[in-house]
Amino acid sequence: MLRRTAPIAGIFAVEVEGLGRGVASVGRRPTVNPVPIPLLEVHLFDWDRDLYGEHIKVRFLKKLRDEKKYDGLPALQAAIAEDARQAREFFAAHG
């Protein structure tokens, strides 16, 4: 993603081909270490291996919310926990 404006943005429930399910963020990380070019960051549930530098296929299944700047790290961490809860609930309901 080398463009200045991403075709999508926000927090999503995702599936990564052959690896599992999780949550993805597409955006500029406005709360911690903001970046000028949108990034895709994926957190896979129950995953403990390093995939940095690997090519993966991410399928976006449901938008959970828009990207937001929080007042600090504790508020961001609470939002991330809620995102994960909502994604797990989505997967439980949709197989």
Side-chain angles (χ1 to χ4, degrees), residues 19-64:
L19 299 177
R21 295 172 167 177
V23 178
S25 170
V26 179
R28 299 174 188 266
R29 299 189 317 200
T31 303
V32 179
N33 299 322
V35 295
I37 297 173
L39 296 175
L40 168 62
E41 297 177 292
V42 177
H43 168 76
L44 291 172
F45 297 140
D46 308 316
W47 186 264
D48 63 355
R49 290 184 20 220
D50 184 353
L51 292 171
Y52 284 99
E54 299 292 326
H55 291 271
I56 59 174
K57 290 183 181 180
V58 180
R59 191 169 74 170
F60 294 82
L61 302 174
K62 180 179 181 184
K63 185 169 186 176
L64 301 174

Side-chain angles (χ1 to χ4, degrees), residues 1 3 5-9 26:
M1 287 184 39
R3 35 172 106 185
T5 304
I8 61 171
V26 179

